[in-house]
Amino acid sequence: MSGAGYQPVASSRDLVARHVFQACLSGQEIALWRADDGTVNAWENRCPHRGVRLSLGVNLGDRLMCRYHGWRYESGSGACSHIPAHPEGPIPATLCARRFLVAEAGGLVFVALGDDAATMPALPEDTIPLRALPVSRPAEAVAAALVEAGLAAAAPLHFIETQDGASIHLLIQPATDRTCVVHGLAETTAGALPLQRHMARLMESRRRAWEARP
Amino acid sequence: MIETGGIDPDTWNRWHVVGCHDELPTDGPRTTRLLGRAITVARRGAGADVRLGDGTPLPAQIAYGYVWTSLGTPGPLFELPEYAEADRRNLNGCSFGVRTSPPRAIENFLDMAHFPFVHTGILGEEDHPDVKDYDVAISADGREVVASNCLFYQPKAAAASTGGAEVSYRYRVPHPWCAVLYKDSPVKPGRMDVIALFIQPCGEEEIIANLALFILDDDTPLPALRRFQQQIFVQDKPILENQMPRRLPLYPRADSPVRADKASIAYRRWLRQLGTTYGVLS
């Protein structure tokens, strides 16, 4: 979905050390991994050599190693730097993992699938993340339900409401054409835990209602 | 005349494996799938009776210990003369259902470069990952792909191996979904064990992979032989099920092959020559 700008694909906490996280945005599978220096990489979840999912691979801290043939791809550039079957090289300069634009904000990881100048959603400075909610409904249907419920839309898939005196941002990740994930951020200085629990219960009941629709 | 549903003539008119004869039930037919259709396979003494789900009889033959059938008008099945050699043990090593296309499984079988990473400590070691140059050709009559003079260091090449060795390999692909491997016997110097992969194409992205052994090993007990093959295959299965797309791309620049992938490049070219469209992306 080119031109959609940055969309949420994961929580920052999903990218734990030396892990490769599998995300999906508008049907595009993405391998997300954080290098030891903090760099977040968002790559097409497919080794350019033989198509094996890179999320099966090994996060070596500064490179990702494909599980199938041990090919290594550099954090940042995505360039292939080692082909074990031919240790003496040469490696074609064009051999590279396919990269997507990626950014972190408010405890969420955002990816832009298009390579045009993508814009980040406008978010407050201090937020706490809420539990991400996978929903078996298309993103558009969930957005329509939130409009119907009277929430203010900051963007087609970005809504703002007030709960327990705190301003809540709901960002919808279109995962596939039939499923989405609703990511929440709460702008608060009050007790975080009660608010997180309240939102978890509220979102659960919303999901039941959305998924019950024909 | 059965409706082909657009399946290419080469695939339609081939013999396809539909199970190991010894493993057929004795108390009635087994239901399975071939090229997207339900079929039944029943034991008939030393032979078999194969039918479509609606009862239409299909041609059937037993060869190399397996039942073969066809939806079309098949020619002769490929030759595997080693099956008849008196000193070989012939058995089905294992049969696994895999969510992939038939040619993805064949390509993996032809691939040596994954041994150190997928079959670590058995068929390869991370310290010895290099794939030396080998020869590959489509036979003059166009009936098979042959890769020869393949050499690879293996810590435990077979169930009967006692240590690591530089092992020589030869591959034949005499059928789009069947490949035969000849590798040095650890027991009888100068002779070769034969291991074949016979793929039952249940659907375009759904297979049963049968590993057939025709080996020179009188001593290793049957459970240990089977365990060795199963151990290797369960390492391949998650790789095969995580290759995207599931169908083998035949169009240019779909993948990034290197010298070690010569066998796969020849195999893809051969499938294009045969006009195979089943299980591939053209």
Side-chain angles (χ1 to χ4, degrees):
Chain A
M1 202 192 283
S2 172
Y6 281 98
Q7 296 180 288
V9 290
S11 159
S12 293
R13 288 178 301 185
D14 292 327
L15 307 190
V16 294
R18 299 290 177 114
H19 179 56
V20 188
F21 182 84
Q22 179 177 330
C24 195
L25 181 59
S26 300
Q28 172 67 58
E29 271 194 36
I30 303 166
L32 281 172
W33 64 283
R34 190 189 299 281
D36 288 355
D37 68 3
T39 305
V40 176
N41 295 279
W43 295 352
E44 181 182 21
N45 194 15
R46 183 179 187 276
C47 176
H49 176 216
R50 282 287 184 84
V52 169
R53 286 194 171 100
L54 289 174
S55 54
L56 258 68
V58 184
N59 177 345
L60 296 171
D62 55 355
R63 288 156 296 160
L64 185 117
M65 180 175 88
C66 176
R67 241 329 239 103
Y68 198 7
H69 297 99
W71 290 25
R72 318 243 164 124
Y73 299 93
E74 297 291 307
S75 171
S77 69
C80 180
S81 58
H82 186 52
I83 296 177
H86 303 302
E88 74 291 349
I91 297 168
T94 51
L95 199 47
C96 191
R98 186 176 160 219
R99 293 173 299 159
F100 300 112
L101 294 172
V102 62
E104 271 186 296
L108 295 179
V109 182
F110 294 82
V111 161
L113 294 181
D115 47 15
D116 43 343
T119 51
M120 277 290 282
L123 296 171
E125 286 281 309
D126 292 313
T127 53
I128 54 164
L130 304 175
R131 183 190 293 173
L133 187 84
V135 184
S136 283
R137 295 285 291 158
E140 298 73 27
V142 168
L146 290 174
V147 168
E148 211 174 287
L151 272 70
L157 297 177
H158 179 182
F159 293 85
I160 303 167
E161 65 178 323
T162 304
Q163 291 285 342
D164 279 1
S167 156
I168 310 279
H169 288 248
L170 297 178
L171 297 125
I172 306 171
Q173 166 192 0
T176 67
D177 54 9
R178 289 181 303 179
T179 62
C180 66
V181 182
V182 183
H183 298 268
L185 294 173
E187 184 183 19
T188 179
T189 50
L193 197 56
L195 180 65
Q196 284 170 315
R197 284 186 180 147
H198 168 74
M199 282 307 298
R201 277 193 299 271
L202 174 65
M203 294 304 288
E204 271 293 341
S205 66
R206 282 176 174 166
R207 170 164 67 181
R208 264 196 300 279
W210 296 335
E211 291 182 347
R213 292 186 184 199
Chain B
M1 190 70 188
I2 309 160
E3 177 53 47
T4 67
I7 292 176
D8 65 84
D10 187 82
T11 301
W12 188 254
N13 293 312
R14 292 257 176 195
W15 289 103
H16 295 288
V17 72
V18 290
C20 171
H21 186 259
D22 276 354
E23 296 172 10
L24 284 179
T26 49
D27 59 347
R30 188 168 74 93
T31 302
T32 183
R33 280 163 59 77
L34 177 66
L35 301 172
R37 287 141 176 91
I39 60 165
T40 57
V41 183
R43 187 194 287 264
R44 289 285 180 271
D49 179 82
V50 184
R51 292 172 185 271
L52 277 176
D54 65 4
T56 309
L58 296 174
Q61 65 162 310
I62 312 302
Y64 318 131
Y66 293 81
V67 183
W68 302 77
T69 190
S70 180
L71 296 177
T73 312
L77 184 63
F78 60 87
E79 298 288 327
L80 188 57
E82 292 79 9
Y83 175 75
E85 290 174 4
D87 59 349
R88 285 184 189 271
R89 268 168 97 184
N90 300 331
L91 60 118
N92 182 38
C94 58
S95 301
F96 276 100
V98 190
R99 285 287 277 138
T100 188
S101 60
R104 285 282 195 194
I106 295 294
E107 233 187 44
N108 179 65
F109 190 76
L110 300 178
D111 180 77
M112 288 182 287
H114 76 285
F115 290 165
F117 302 96
V118 179
H119 307 299
T120 316
I122 309 170
L123 301 183
E125 262 180 0
E126 293 199 35
D127 293 349
H128 295 87
D130 51 309
V131 176
K132 294 170 193 71
D133 198 25
Y134 57 92
D135 300 315
V136 65
I138 298 172
S139 65
D141 59 8
R143 291 162 79 108
E144 62 182 63
V145 179
V146 177
S148 49
N149 295 318
C150 313
L151 269 180
F152 208 80
Y153 178 84
Q154 303 204 310
K156 186 168 172 58
S161 300
T162 50
E166 181 104 297
V167 180
S168 94
Y169 268 50
R170 186 165 70 86
Y171 293 98
R172 279 174 65 203
V173 191
H175 178 298
W177 320 142
C178 297
V180 186
L181 162 66
Y182 299 77
K183 70 190 284 189
D184 290 343
S185 159
V187 179
K188 299 199 176 166
R191 306 256 333 258
M192 301 194 106
D193 280 336
V194 179
I195 300 170
L197 178 64
F198 297 153
I199 301 286
Q200 175 179 343
C202 301
E204 289 200 77
E205 300 183 357
E206 177 194 352
I207 65 167
I208 297 171
N210 302 281
L211 267 175
L213 307 185
F214 312 99
I215 57 172
L216 300 154
D217 177 351
D218 297 325
D219 301 324
T220 308
L222 188 61
L225 283 177
R226 290 221 160 105
R227 198 178 315 123
F228 184 77
Q229 292 306 322
Q230 288 170 3
Q231 180 187 10
I232 291 170
F233 201 83
V234 297
Q235 293 173 331
D236 284 317
K237 184 174 152 81
I239 295 288
L240 291 171
E241 294 185 335
N242 281 286
Q243 267 181 299
M244 292 293 136
R246 287 202 168 102
R247 297 181 200 198
L248 187 73
L250 295 187
Y251 48 86
R253 287 180 297 280
D255 289 339
S256 314
V258 291
R259 286 197 310 288
D261 300 317
K262 274 163 77 170
S264 131
I265 295 167
Y267 174 61
R268 292 187 189 197
R269 188 185 313 131
W270 185 57
L271 292 180
R272 283 195 294 269
Q273 284 179 14
L274 294 175
T276 305
T277 59
Y278 200 80
V280 304
L281 296 169
S282 300

